[in-house]
Amino acid sequence: MKKLILPVMLCLGISAFAQEEETSWTDGFTLSGSIDAYFRQNITTLNKVTDQGYPAPGSSFANQPGFALGMANAILSYEKGNVGAVADLVYGPRGTDAVFASTTASSSIVNQLYVYWNVSESVTLTFGNWNTYLGYEVISPAANFNYSTSYMFSYGPFSHSGLKADFALDDNWSAMLAVMNATDFTDFNPSGSYTFGGQLGYSTDSGSTFLNLLYGDQDGDYTDQGMGEGVGSTFQVDLTTGYDLSDSFYLGLNATYNTTEAGDLADDYGFYGVALYAQAALSDSFSLGLRPEYFSQFGTGINDFDAIGGSDAEGDANVFAVTLSGNAKVGPLTIIPEFRLDSASEDVFLDSYDGTPTFTGSLGSFLLAAVYSF
């Protein structure tokens, strides 16, 4: 029996070595994403489209009446060694809104498209198009607790194209520096000007805090391009934080300030706001979340920017929106019933339309969404 031990061990070793050497192109490849749809009904105003539009919040996505589509999202990732690539594709109304500044048909389904290089354990370089680092919420509904989005998310950047460097400073602290095209111009740079971004982060097992900065001219010198008047540089500072306060309660916060220099126009304009994200797990399969948000815009009406839909004589307006959402988990499916109340300083929501439209400053609505993640 002793004579058989060495040959058997050699065979087992050769077999194990052969298995380690065998690789497939699928090694390092992952596919993930989501599919979503929703039903939306106004409680306090009209529920049909008229020549005056349809009453809905001024925030992005989930604003259509009745049964409506979100998007199909497929994220293809491939990594080999210390390099990799990501293609994040979207199709549907939500995806179309997310890539609104794409100028070619082929890029109208591209949410993110980038390559990366893990230069070391502490430095990663990313080159291409990626979703914004500013704000609390993201484009994919699978990563948000609330299905409808905040005003701050809707009027901050969605995406950037450029080069960024992420630094892991230690086990808790991180930093990021980036040079990018103008905000949301992901195909190419039409203005000849560039935007700079930065981030400082602190993370623990219970949560994280990020301070985000953005500065740059978003339209270049339009006078030199024969395109009429242009504006100056945009500056935005943004704070995003969130922590598990207990095993069943989470509290997050987003505060932002964005201003654009007047340039050739009449006055500086922009917005600022703050939102809380309180979420309680009531059981293993159901959670309840409340998002109160205050959002204010200034210098609007004079300039093209108008997030709320109207302003006073000075170009100012504000809105307070409260969103109550449930998350019911059925395996990979999340069902989201949601009540939302938007109260604006101006009468911006269509209230009734019997030949002559009337407007109101408040809008109550109900939404039921289904998000399948894979």
Side-chain angles (χ1 to χ4, degrees):
M1 292 292 293
K2 292 182 179 178
K3 294 180 180 180
L4 293 176
I5 292 176
L6 183 57
V8 170
M9 291 181 65
L10 287 172
C11 289
L12 290 174
I14 293 171
S15 175
F17 179 77
Q19 289 177 2
E20 289 178 0
E21 287 295 304
E22 289 179 4
T23 59
S24 169
W25 71 270
T26 59
D27 294 343
F29 175 81
T30 60
L31 173 64
S32 61
S34 64
I35 295 173
D36 64 286
Y38 66 96
F39 170 83
R40 187 180 180 281
Q41 179 85 5
N42 287 331
I43 299 173
T44 60
T45 60
L46 288 177
N47 275 292
K48 61 181 181 179
V49 178
T50 71
D51 58 8
Q52 297 292 316
Y54 170 72
S59 53
S60 297
F61 314 141
N63 283 335
Q64 299 303 317
F67 294 100
L69 301 178
M71 70 177 185
N73 180 207
I75 305 172
L76 294 82
S77 304
Y78 188 80
E79 183 173 274
K80 188 171 184 179
N82 60 349
V83 296
V86 173
D88 180 346
L89 308 178
V90 291
Y91 189 78
R94 189 181 183 111
T96 300
D97 290 347
V99 296
F100 68 95
S102 296
T103 57
T104 61
S106 61
S107 61
S108 63
I109 63 169
V110 175
N111 182 35
Q112 301 184 93
L113 191 69
Y114 60 85
V115 297
Y116 62 89
W117 175 24
N118 296 316
V119 181
S120 67
E121 292 183 355
S122 59
V123 179
T124 298
L125 298 178
T126 303
F127 188 76
N129 165 30
W130 64 87
N131 288 158
T132 188
Y133 56 96
L134 290 97
Y136 183 94
E137 300 172 23
V138 296
I139 292 169
S140 170
N144 293 332
F145 190 93
N146 309 101
Y147 187 76
S148 67
T149 58
S150 69
Y151 285 86
M152 286 185 292
F153 166 78
S154 302
Y155 294 96
F158 280 174
S159 297
H160 310 280
S161 282
L163 174 65
K164 68 171 180 172
D166 289 281
F167 305 93
L169 304 179
D170 60 24
D171 291 341
N172 301 110
W173 290 92
S174 64
M176 185 275 293
L177 294 173
V179 56
M180 307 164 289
N181 290 346
T183 293
D184 293 310
F185 284 97
T186 56
D187 294 354
F188 59 90
N189 187 341
S191 65
S193 59
Y194 290 92
T195 295
F196 300 94
Q199 181 186 79
L200 181 64
Y202 180 80
S203 301
T204 67
D205 292 338
S206 61
S208 59
T209 299
F210 294 97
L211 178 64
N212 307 302
L213 299 171
L214 179 145
Y215 179 80
D217 191 338
Q218 303 303 297
D219 64 5
D221 190 340
Y222 266 33
T223 304
D224 288 349
Q225 300 173 40
M227 300 176 68
E229 296 177 331
V231 298
S233 294
T234 294
F235 170 75
Q236 183 169 357
V237 57
D238 178 271
L239 176 68
T240 302
T241 184
Y243 288 87
D244 293 317
L245 301 185
S246 70
D247 291 340
S248 59
F249 186 73
Y250 169 89
L251 184 63
L253 178 143
N254 183 208
T256 199
Y257 177 83
N258 178 301
T259 182
T260 299
E261 297 170 348
D264 299 324
L265 302 182
D267 201 359
D268 294 356
Y269 66 93
F271 62 87
Y272 56 90
V274 62
L276 291 176
Y277 298 82
Q279 298 158 17
L282 305 183
S283 70
D284 291 339
S285 59
F286 185 77
S287 299
L288 199 62
L290 184 69
R291 180 188 63 199
E293 178 192 17
Y294 175 80
F295 179 87
S296 181
Q297 62 185 29
F298 57 90
T300 60
I302 302 170
N303 301 310
D304 292 335
F305 175 80
D306 188 358
I308 295 174
S311 58
D312 61 18
E314 286 72 39
D316 303 333
N318 62 75
V319 61
F320 182 69
V322 179
T323 306
L324 179 65
S325 306
N327 276 200
K329 302 287 186 179
V330 185
L333 177 67
T334 303
I335 300 172
I336 308 173
E338 185 171 287
F339 290 93
R340 175 166 173 162
L341 177 63
D342 292 62
S343 181
S345 60
E346 311 300 313
D347 291 338
V348 295
F349 304 113
L350 182 63
D351 187 33
S352 62
Y353 190 35
D354 185 14
T356 301
T358 60
F359 294 84
T360 180
S362 64
L363 172 65
S365 59
F366 168 76
L367 180 149
L368 180 65
V371 181
Y372 185 90
S373 303
F374 58 89

